[in-house]
Amino acid sequence: MAQTSQPNNERSAGPRETQHGTVRSAESLNLELSVLGTSMLHQGAASVAVRVLGNMWDTAFTDHRLDVAQLIREYVQASKMPDHSTIARQIPDRTAEIQAAITYVEDPAVIENRAEQLLFAAKRRLLANTAETCERASGGNIDVDIAINQTFGELANIYSGGVKIDTADWSEKLLEDYDRREAQGLELTGAPTGLPKIDQATSGLQYGETHVLAARTGHGKSAMAVNYIAPAAARPPYEVPVLVIGHEMSSRQYRLRMACADAGVHYSIASAARLRLKTKERLQESIKKLSQLPISIIEPQTGDPTELMAHVMAWRHSVGRQGLVIVDHLQNEAITGFRGQRPEMFAQISAQWKACMQATDCAGLLIAQLNRAAAGQPPKLENLRDSGAIEQDAMSVMLLYRAGQEDPEKPANCAQVGLAKNREGSLAYEHMSFEGYCMHFRPWKPDDSERTATEMQQSEKNIHENQKKPEE
C-alpha cells in the first residue's frame, strides 16, 4: 500500500485542457487524484466521497480519471470495496491514472473535506464555462439564444448538483421488483416492524429512506427498537439483515436484553447470573433462537457519523442485500470539528444518514429524543429534539408514549405507538403491552388489564422472587 501523503502542486503535471474546454488548475487535479487514491485504498472512503459529490460525480473528474471514478462509483453502488488492484484489472488502459492516484492517497479522515473541495472546484469550473459562453456571445462569436440555453444549463447544473432524471429503465425495474415480491409472497415492500397497523399503513420501513422512532427518556424507545422491531424484521419470512449501531450500551447488554425480552426473564437477575434452573434454561433457549437471526451489533468508538456510515457500507457489502440499520440513538452523535449550532449539526447528521440509506438501499431507523415540551402528554412531531430537519428528512415518524411513566395515576404497562408521519400513506396507532422487568413489548390483548407503575412494581417483585436463585 502506498504511503499517505498530502497533495501538493509540485507533483502535478500542470494545467490541462478538459472535456469542458477550460483549463484545470494543478490544485484541482491534485484533489481529483487525492479523492480517487484515498477511495481505492481505504475502506469506506469511497462511499463518503460518492455521498458528498452526489450527482456531480461525473462532472468533478476529468480526462481519463473519469473512467476510474465511474468504476469506483459502480463498486460503491454495489456495496463493494473499490480496491485499486481490482479496478486496474477491469480497466488496464487506465493503469497510469490509477498509479498516479495511489501516490496521492491521504488519511481517510480528510476524505469528506477533500470531496467537498473537489465539489466546489467542479462548480467553479461550470461557472467559468458560463462566463466564457457569455463572453463569446457578447463578442458575436456565438448565437445569443444558443448562449442563453447553454448558460441556463450550466447554472442549472450548479444549482441542482447535476441531478439526473430517471427516464430510461424505470419500468423494467418496477416490474422486476413486483415479480420478485409476488414470487416470494411478501406483502410488505420494506422491513417489517412487527406492529401490524403501522406495517399496514407504511408497507414496512421502506428501503433507501430514514425513519424515526422517538420518545421521552424512560419510555422504552431502545427496547422497542432493539428488543421488538429488530427480531420482527429478522424473522421469517422476510429475514431482513439488521445492524444495530449501539451508542447506549455494549453489544453484550443489547444481546442479553433481547434474550430476556424474548424469554420473559428478569433482566437484573440474568445480569447477575442468579437465575433458577428452569428460568436459566428458558433464557438459554431464547439466546440460541436469537443467535440464528441475522442481527449484527457494533459498538462505535466515536459518534462521528462519517465513520459510522463507513461501517454501514462494509456491513451492507458483507450481507449482500437490503437491510435495516437501527441507530440508538441519534443524539449521541456529533460531527467532529463542527462549529455551528446544535440544531444545524443534527440537520446535517440527518441529511448524511438519509444519503447513506439511499447509497446502500437500506432502511434506517433513527432513535431520537423528544424535548421537554412533550412531558406529561402524548407527543407531537414538533417535540422532536434538536432539529426539525430530522422529521423533514424521514419518510415516517413513530412516537412512543407511556402515560404512566410520568404520571403515577395512569397505566404504565400500556404503550401507544403513534405513526405521526407517513409520507406515502395513512396514519395509524398501535397499542402495546409493556413489561418493565424484561423490557418486553407485545401487542395489547383484549383481556389485558391496565396497571400503574406501583402495581407493576409489585407484580415484578413477585416475578423477581420466583426467578431468582435462592441464597445459599
Side-chain angles (χ1 to χ4, degrees):
M1 180 177 293
Q3 295 181 346
T4 61
S5 60
Q6 296 292 334
N8 62 74
N9 296 344
E10 294 179 359
R11 287 179 295 169
S12 172
R16 296 180 183 176
E17 194 73 15
T18 74
Q19 61 188 19
H20 297 283
T22 59
V23 177
R24 300 298 307 276
S25 68
E27 178 185 2
S28 184
L29 291 175
N30 289 348
L31 285 171
E32 288 186 43
L33 293 169
S34 172
V35 170
L36 292 177
T38 307
S39 294
M40 289 187 288
L41 286 183
H42 289 294
Q43 181 83 21
S47 61
V48 175
V50 169
R51 172 178 57 79
V52 171
L53 288 166
N55 288 308
M56 287 285 285
W57 184 266
D58 288 346
T59 306
F61 298 96
T62 57
D63 299 330
H64 297 316
R65 289 176 296 279
L66 178 58
D67 297 333
V68 181
Q70 289 175 333
L71 190 54
I72 288 176
R73 182 174 58 183
E74 289 178 11
Y75 270 68
V76 170
Q77 291 172 340
S79 299
K80 298 179 180 179
M81 171 64 186
D83 175 75
H84 70 286
S85 300
T86 307
I87 298 290
R89 284 195 296 270
Q90 285 200 246
I91 46 175
D93 54 337
R94 297 291 176 260
T95 301
E97 285 74 16
I98 295 171
Q99 291 299 326
I102 296 303
T103 64
Y104 281 77
V105 65
E106 296 188 83
D107 190 301
V110 303
I111 186 66
E112 184 166 9
N113 176 263
R114 292 289 183 261
E116 289 174 348
Q117 291 177 355
L118 183 57
L119 177 62
F120 177 76
K123 291 183 176 181
R124 186 171 54 188
R125 186 173 71 255
L126 290 177
L127 192 61
N129 291 350
T130 300
E132 181 183 352
T133 301
C134 293
E135 184 177 350
R136 292 173 63 196
S138 299
N141 296 323
I142 187 174
D143 183 81
V144 173
D145 289 334
I146 294 177
I148 291 175
N149 287 335
Q150 289 182 355
T151 301
F152 178 80
E154 296 287 5
L155 292 175
N157 209 13
I158 296 172
Y159 180 76
S160 67
V163 66
K164 296 180 180 178
I165 299 175
D166 177 15
T167 58
D169 57 355
W170 66 269
S171 59
E172 183 178 346
K173 291 180 179 179
L174 196 62
L175 291 172
E176 287 178 355
D177 179 67
Y178 181 92
D179 291 341
R180 177 185 61 82
R181 290 189 291 108
E182 183 180 45
Q184 294 176 343
L186 305 179
E187 296 181 2
L188 303 181
T189 57
T193 66
L195 304 167
K197 294 179 181 177
I198 290 179
D199 279 341
Q200 183 178 9
T202 61
S203 195
L205 301 178
Q206 296 301 302
Y207 299 112
E209 300 283 352
T210 54
H211 310 266
V212 173
L213 173 62
R216 289 271 293 157
T217 301
H219 283 248
K221 54 186 179 293
S222 294
M224 170 63 73
V226 181
N227 297 356
Y228 188 84
I229 294 178
R235 292 190 186 104
Y238 291 89
E239 299 180 323
V240 177
V242 178
L243 175 66
V244 178
I245 298 177
H247 294 294
E248 292 286 275
M249 59 195 82
S250 68
S251 173
R252 175 190 172 279
Q253 288 174 302
Y254 278 115
R255 298 285 188 187
L256 184 58
R257 286 182 177 226
M258 289 172 60
C260 287
D262 182 76
V265 171
H266 204 296
Y267 176 73
S268 64
I269 306 176
S271 297
R274 298 295 299 168
L275 294 171
R276 291 178 183 267
L277 180 59
K278 289 186 177 180
T279 307
K280 176 184 176 182
E281 291 173 347
R282 193 166 75 247
L283 178 64
Q284 290 173 332
E285 184 63 28
S286 287
I287 291 173
K288 291 179 182 178
K289 181 171 61 176
L290 289 169
S291 70
Q292 302 303 311
L293 299 180
I295 300 176
S296 304
I297 301 174
I298 62 172
E299 302 176 36
Q301 301 300 311
T302 174
D304 193 304
T306 300
E307 179 179 322
L308 301 176
M309 291 170 200
H311 291 312
V312 172
M313 292 287 185
W315 169 79
R316 174 64 171 83
H317 173 57
S318 68
V319 298
R321 56 195 176 105
Q322 295 169 317
L324 172 63
V325 179
I326 298 176
V327 180
D328 185 32
H329 61 77
L330 194 66
Q331 274 80 13
N332 283 326
E333 297 183 2
I335 299 175
T336 303
F338 190 86
R339 297 183 179 181
Q341 298 295 318
R342 185 176 173 90
E344 295 172 351
M345 181 179 69
F346 279 101
Q348 186 170 331
I349 291 174
S350 176
Q352 288 178 336
W353 276 116
K354 183 177 179 68
C356 180
M357 294 305 105
Q358 291 173 338
T360 58
D361 198 24
C362 289
L365 181 59
L366 311 180
I367 312 306
Q369 186 79 10
L370 294 175
N371 58 36
R372 295 177 181 177
Q377 59 184 339
K380 302 176 182 178
L381 284 175
E382 54 263 34
N383 298 138
L384 273 173
R385 184 180 174 187
D386 293 316
S387 176
I390 298 174
E391 179 263 321
Q392 293 171 11
D393 290 336
M395 186 173 190
S396 66
V397 178
M398 295 174 285
L399 302 178
L400 173 64
Y401 177 63
R402 289 193 299 119
Q405 173 64 20
E406 297 172 348
D407 187 340
E409 301 299 322
K410 294 182 178 180
N413 68 322
C414 181
Q416 175 181 290
V417 184
L419 182 62
K421 176 184 176 180
N422 182 16
R423 191 182 298 159
E424 295 187 355
S426 60
L427 303 183
Y429 292 90
E430 198 80 55
H431 292 280
M432 306 289 289
S433 173
F434 175 72
E435 295 293 346
Y437 70 94
C438 61
M439 288 161 284
H440 174 64
F441 284 94
R442 63 168 174 78
W444 188 266
K445 299 177 181 179
D447 58 346
D448 284 336
S449 58
E450 297 179 346
R451 288 175 290 159
T452 64
T454 301
E455 292 170 334
M456 285 184 67
Q457 290 172 2
Q458 182 58 47
S459 174
E460 291 173 5
K461 182 179 180 181
N462 296 333
I463 293 172
H464 187 279
E465 293 176 354
N466 292 332
Q467 293 188 358
K468 184 177 181 180
K469 182 190 300 185
E471 297 293 339
E472 297 178 358

